[in-house]
């Protein structure tokens, strides 16, 4: 056996590209470990139209926003703990401008949290089918199979809706 055969050959990972519009909404805020970021940076190819720079900037911006959210949430939880413990807040004289700035920061934080964690939820497009099945089950207690034909239309509606969501429509 020669020297080339006795050394371990490091396998190159397969690169998979996923467009953002192919990702369901609930998976768009997935955390990435620092090891993954280091690996991506290590495998960066020169001359890739600045995509890696754009991604690096986006990652830095998201990290800053995440740190800012953590800081704001820590401040809010401290205030809430003081209030619930009955500890009076330290007496600090706050000017009107400072109060307005704090209120604006608080409102912006609430808006960011709502946007990130309480995103828009779609309406139930299959409500009619669902209502029809429930009515059938109530009219035919103990005879579930009588309502079986209604489930096909409901399953078709749910399948179509799932495809729309996955396509990002």
């Amino acid at each position: 056996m020669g020297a080339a055969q006795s050394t371990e050959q490091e396998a190159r990972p397969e690169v998979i590209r996923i467009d953002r519009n192919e990702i369901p909404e609930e998976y768009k805020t997935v955390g990435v470990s620092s090891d993954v970021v280091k690996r991506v940076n290590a495998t960066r190819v020169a001359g890739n139209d600045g995509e890696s720079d754009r991604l690096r900037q986006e990652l830095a911006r998201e990290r800053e926003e995440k740190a800012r959210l953590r800081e704001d949430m820590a401040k809010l939880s401290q205030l809430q703990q003081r209030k619930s413990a009955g500890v009076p807040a330290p007496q600090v004289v706050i000017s009107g401008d400072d109060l307005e700035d704090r209120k604006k920061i608080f409102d912006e934080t609430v808006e960011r949290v709502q946007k990130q964690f309480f995103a828009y939820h779609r309406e139930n497009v299959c409500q009619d089918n669902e209502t029809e099945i429930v009515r059938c089950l109530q009219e035919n207690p103990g005879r579930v199979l009588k309502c079986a034909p209604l489930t096909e239309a409901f399953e078709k509606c749910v399948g179509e809706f799932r495809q729309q969501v996955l396509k990002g429509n």
Side-chain angles (χ1 to χ4, degrees):
M1 187 183 308
Q5 286 84 14
S6 63
T7 61
E8 290 185 21
Q9 301 254 338
E10 191 170 314
R12 301 287 292 181
E14 181 180 344
V15 177
I16 299 173
R17 286 229 177 250
I18 300 174
D19 290 341
R20 279 197 177 271
N21 59 4
E22 295 175 351
I23 301 172
E25 191 65 35
E26 57 269 12
Y27 292 110
K28 286 190 178 180
T29 54
V30 175
V32 177
S33 70
S34 59
D35 292 339
V36 172
V37 174
K38 287 176 186 173
R39 233 180 328 176
V40 168
N41 287 338
T43 58
R44 188 177 114 193
V45 179
N48 60 356
D49 298 330
E51 182 179 358
S52 62
D53 292 334
R54 183 186 59 78
L55 291 174
R56 198 175 283 119
Q57 289 172 352
E58 184 177 337
L59 179 63
R61 186 173 22 88
E62 287 179 5
R63 283 183 177 163
E64 288 173 8
E65 184 176 342
K66 187 176 180 182
R68 195 171 42 244
L69 278 173
R70 279 189 186 146
E71 189 177 298
D72 292 343
M73 293 303 287
K75 288 177 185 176
L76 288 173
S77 63
Q78 286 175 350
L79 289 173
Q80 188 175 12
Q81 287 174 355
R82 281 188 205 153
K83 186 176 181 180
S84 65
V87 176
Q91 296 296 324
V92 179
V93 178
I94 301 173
S95 68
D97 292 336
D98 192 31
L99 185 62
E100 287 297 319
D101 289 343
R102 288 183 181 193
K103 184 178 181 200
K104 190 165 90 173
I105 290 170
F106 177 78
D107 291 340
E108 288 171 358
T109 303
V110 168
E111 188 177 317
R112 278 197 317 260
V113 169
Q114 284 178 341
K115 194 184 306 178
Q116 187 169 1
F117 297 107
F118 303 105
Y120 168 75
H121 296 285
R122 296 177 182 259
E123 64 180 79
N124 186 356
V125 295
C126 303
Q127 180 67 42
D128 295 338
N129 300 88
E130 189 176 326
T131 306
E132 199 172 331
I133 291 172
V134 169
R135 185 179 44 75
C136 178
L137 290 172
Q138 288 172 346
E139 290 174 358
N140 301 299
R143 295 177 290 198
V144 178
L145 293 178
K146 269 195 156 183
C147 304
L150 300 175
T151 60
E152 290 177 24
F154 180 69
E155 288 174 356
K156 181 180 177 186
C157 178
V158 169
E160 289 172 357
F161 179 68
R162 182 180 295 129
Q163 290 302 317
Q164 288 177 356
V165 169
L166 290 176
K167 288 179 183 176
N169 294 339

